[in-house]
Amino acid sequence: MEKTPKNTPKNPRIDPKQIKGWGIDADPKNDPTYPMRKRMNVGEDPDSKHRPDHLQPEDTEVLRSIERPDVSAVFGTPAPPMGLSGLIRRAAFKYSENEYKHWLPLIVADRVGVVEGIVADLSHGKLPNIWAEKGYDMEWKYNRPAFVTKLATIGAVTAGLVVWLSSGKKKQPKPVKKDYLSRF
Amino acid sequence: MLAMDYRGPKRVRAVQKPMPEIKHPQDAIVRVLRTCICGSDLHLYNGNVPDTRVGSTFGHEFVGEIVEIGADVTKVKVGDRVLVPFNIACGECHFCRQGMFGNCHESNTESTAVGAIFGYSHTAGGYNGGQAEYARVPYANVGPTIIPPDMDLDDAVLLTDVIPTGYQAAEMAGIQTGDTVVVFGAGPIGIVAARCAWLFGAGRVIIIDQEDYRLEFACNYSYCEAYNFKEMNDPVLFIKKITDWMGADCVIDAVGAEAAGNTMQTVTGRKLLLQAGSATALHWAINSVKKGGVVSIVGVYGPTDNLVPIGNMMNKGLTIRGNQTSVKRLLPRLIEHVQNGVLNPKALITHRIPLEDVADGYRMFSAKLDNCIKTVLMPPTANQ
């Protein structure tokens, strides 16, 4: 039998009619509701191919889903594909959104992009302040015991791994097979 | 200008970037006055959304002042203070004309599965977001809505996503008068969904989460029952028990890919990325709704696959609805609700952080530190 949560007494049932605004948007016809309610089939829409008057000029590389015939009338361009991550992204966009071959390479490209970002920072003489970028000051301020425990655990596991990997038995030299026959 | 800059999973910083430019005659440039960190930004922050490129600026919840307009912009002018819906929509395509402004076909070249969203990866169109001093806003005749003079900017910024998404979650649940509604997730969206369920005439609203401070906040803000799933053996069994063994009439998934509560889902969905996020909340939603009930999904998942009990969905005769919120469609009604005091968006705000400290803001929201519910970032330009 399911147990009752401890905070149940905090939850007395209230009369909904006492709540400001109760029922003001109630509508028996709200079923089926949005987005079904005002649906319009493409066949019923003589203007289904309508496009805005002006199209944004393509002055930068835009990767296009192959599930659409054209570039949308406006698009964003904060980070055009470049470097190794860009190559992976271009390859991913050869496949439809229906395929893992589209999405999984994009996730890989994102991770490659992180490394490229660090390299770019370093090449500009900037050492990324990982502590600040991860907002660890907030953990230190509001969650110190758990944060210290987490850091200590990561440190201990890392140290343990290093010790374990570096303290393996020294490889015994391969015993040299005595070549008894060479004497003959 | 100062802008948030994504450097990799759980790594962001504020840097100087070039000013945005008008790229299309319907563009506008907005000086940002308030911008928020959204729960769905955490999917980007954690590196779970494919094609989230280093160097991108996040932020799809922002309000600001128009400082420049393109040649074809007629509905707003320089100097107007506007709230900017998080979706980028042309207002003319087959989908926009059905009110599906979250599914516009003329704003996202890189994916057909999702409409364009400010600052939400190249999968959502590759636009820089509003966690910056200035932002480019395409289709300025369609999205940006002039903030009524009597409206607080803090209320306005929450009308760009949180309030409409919570409201649409309740709307899509098809709530009928007297229905029992269960909401999974007591983040800002879940809290608003629970509050809005009453507007549709719910008879009972229950919210489930694992953070006591959020449950307490939800109790007070949304007048709902609140339960911690960590104190239960099985949340689905618990809901069956408290609904006279029938299940809830409507269940809302306001969690999405970052869900906790099931080790297998967490490991495969969040750690190994073998799924498009952890589908624990959706799993519970399908299993705890009554036969013939409705599951409404506003929690965000990635574009690949998730493990959910789809067989139960068929066998129970469920209706599942979901969508990115059609903010523009809902704004007139929601502005009315805020002006009439039915909804109080700014009461959700618990933290206000300078844009310069954006990394601290993300860490605080992500790790749920200092009882954080909703964080507003204040760009230096906000005080000009």
Side-chain angles (χ1 to χ4, degrees):
Chain A
M1 179 59 69
E2 182 56 43
K3 64 184 178 183
T4 303
K6 282 183 290 185
N7 65 347
T8 299
K10 286 186 206 163
N11 284 311
R13 296 280 296 276
I14 55 171
D15 176 8
K17 289 173 185 156
Q18 303 299 313
I19 296 170
K20 187 167 186 179
W22 181 79
I24 57 175
D25 289 336
D27 175 5
K29 290 180 188 161
N30 183 32
D31 195 17
T33 182
Y34 176 87
M36 295 292 290
R37 207 164 170 187
K38 291 181 178 173
R39 70 183 180 273
M40 173 170 57
N41 294 330
V42 174
E44 298 168 343
D45 180 7
D47 218 10
S48 64
K49 300 284 184 197
H50 174 84
R51 302 204 71 197
D53 288 342
H54 295 94
L55 305 180
Q56 181 177 334
E58 286 181 60
D59 53 4
T60 185
E61 182 180 2
V62 183
L63 296 176
R64 179 176 57 83
S65 166
I66 61 169
E67 292 184 36
R68 57 176 300 137
D70 44 35
V71 171
S72 53
V74 301
F75 50 87
T77 54
M82 52 199 297
L84 177 60
S85 63
L87 287 176
I88 300 169
R89 290 186 213 283
R90 290 183 195 107
F93 272 83
K94 289 179 180 159
Y95 300 95
S96 80
E97 297 162 54
N98 183 47
E99 300 213 42
Y100 287 113
K101 283 182 279 189
H102 178 76
W103 297 112
L104 299 184
L106 288 176
I107 293 174
V108 172
D110 291 345
R111 300 300 180 266
V112 171
V114 173
V115 177
E116 290 173 337
I118 292 172
V119 171
D121 274 348
L122 294 174
S123 68
H124 289 99
K126 180 181 172 65
L127 191 66
N129 184 346
I130 303 289
W131 179 277
E133 289 175 357
K134 282 184 168 282
Y136 280 155
D137 280 347
M138 293 296 104
E139 293 277 6
W140 184 254
K141 188 172 177 184
Y142 295 111
N143 194 28
R144 194 173 301 177
F147 183 55
V148 170
T149 306
K150 187 179 171 186
L151 287 183
T153 307
I154 292 170
V157 170
T158 309
L161 275 174
V162 170
V163 170
W164 180 63
L165 290 172
S166 59
S167 70
K169 279 183 185 173
K170 271 192 176 175
K171 257 189 176 176
Q172 295 292 328
K174 218 175 179 181
V176 181
K177 248 185 183 176
K178 287 182 179 173
D179 188 1
Y180 296 105
L181 293 174
S182 64
R183 286 186 285 165
F184 300 98
Chain B
M1 65 159 186
L2 193 71
M4 173 270 189
D5 189 49
Y6 174 72
R7 304 312 300 172
K10 292 185 166 64
R11 274 182 59 216
V12 300
R13 64 193 183 199
V15 298
Q16 289 295 325
K17 289 190 174 183
M19 281 285 288
E21 294 170 7
I22 300 277
K23 300 269 188 187
H24 183 272
Q26 277 200 57
D27 281 0
I29 305 296
V30 166
R31 175 168 68 89
V32 178
L33 299 171
R34 300 277 189 287
T35 178
C36 296
I37 300 175
C38 177
S40 54
D41 284 331
L42 299 182
H43 310 320
L44 300 169
Y45 178 67
N46 291 328
N48 291 346
V49 179
D51 217 355
T52 302
R53 300 183 193 170
V54 165
S56 301
T57 296
F58 300 167
H60 55 269
E61 299 180 4
F62 61 99
V63 294
E65 183 178 308
I66 306 267
V67 293
E68 189 181 351
I69 53 174
D72 289 354
V73 175
T74 55
K75 300 280 173 64
V76 290
K77 60 183 185 308
V78 171
D80 283 344
R81 289 194 162 193
V82 292
L83 65 91
V84 183
F86 75 84
N87 353 80
I88 300 169
C90 71
E92 303 175 42
C93 71
H94 175 71
F95 302 102
C96 284
R97 280 184 286 116
Q98 293 174 68
M100 296 170 71
F101 295 100
N103 309 90
C104 174
H105 207 53
E106 284 293 353
S107 51
N108 186 358
T109 295
E110 289 163 76
S111 169
T112 58
V114 61
I117 300 170
F118 287 101
Y120 209 80
S121 82
H122 279 256
T123 295
Y127 296 87
N128 273 329
Q131 290 168 8
E133 290 185 289
Y134 294 88
R136 171 193 169 212
V137 176
Y139 298 129
N141 285 332
V142 181
T145 302
I146 294 175
I147 300 170
D150 58 339
M151 183 174 278
D152 194 310
L153 286 179
D154 287 346
D155 282 329
V157 74
L158 295 176
L159 281 169
T160 61
D161 180 358
V162 179
I163 300 291
T165 299
Y167 185 91
Q168 186 172 302
E171 181 192 40
M172 288 192 301
I175 298 167
Q176 300 293 299
T177 302
D179 274 358
T180 294
V181 180
V182 168
V183 179
F184 284 110
I189 301 288
I191 290 169
V192 175
R195 178 68 185 87
C196 291
W198 296 118
L199 307 186
F200 289 91
R204 189 179 182 192
V205 180
I206 298 159
I207 199 163
I208 309 278
D209 199 281
Q210 63 168 341
E211 298 290 342
D212 281 333
Y213 82 88
R214 290 191 164 194
L215 290 168
E216 197 174 333
F217 189 99
C219 242
N220 295 326
Y221 184 92
S222 310
Y223 315 110
C224 60
E225 298 169 54
Y227 298 99
N228 190 326
F229 69 75
K230 286 199 294 192
E231 295 176 9
M232 305 168 186
N233 292 326
D234 180 347
V236 170
L237 193 54
F238 173 74
I239 290 165
K240 290 280 175 66
K241 183 184 165 191
I242 64 171
T243 54
D244 206 15
W245 304 103
M246 297 297 279
D249 298 295
C250 319
V251 179
I252 294 169
D253 170 5
V255 182
E258 306 293 330
N262 179 305
T263 307
M264 192 271 286
Q265 287 275 0
T266 301
V267 170
T268 57
R270 287 167 55 191
K271 306 296 180 192
L272 302 177
L273 300 184
L274 296 175
Q275 300 187 62
S278 159
T280 303
L282 183 52
H283 192 111
W284 289 348
I286 290 171
N287 286 340
S288 60
V289 73
K290 73 175 184 187
K291 293 169 187 169
V294 180
V295 173
S296 166
I297 308 171
V298 288
V300 173
Y301 295 90
T304 52
D305 301 303
N306 282 99
L307 289 168
V308 291
I310 202 72
N312 294 355
M313 181 261 170
M314 190 282 280
N315 286 316
K316 290 171 73 174
L318 305 185
T319 298
I320 298 184
R321 294 195 186 100
N323 205 348
Q324 289 288 352
T325 307
S326 179
V327 177
K328 183 183 165 60
R329 180 181 65 89
L330 295 170
L331 274 179
R333 184 69 171 151
L334 293 175
I335 288 173
E336 204 176 294
H337 284 339
V338 173
Q339 289 178 323
N340 293 337
V342 172
L343 295 174
N344 180 10
K346 64 173 178 278
L348 292 164
I349 297 171
T350 53
H351 291 75
R352 202 176 291 270
I353 292 177
L355 180 61
E356 296 89 319
D357 299 330
V358 63
D360 291 347
Y362 268 90
R363 174 60 65 168
M364 182 178 278
F365 189 49
S366 165
K368 302 180 180 73
L369 303 173
D370 195 31
N371 290 352
C372 182
I373 300 284
K374 189 69 183 172
T375 302
V376 174
L377 296 170
M378 302 293 290
T381 41
N383 301 318
Q384 285 175 11

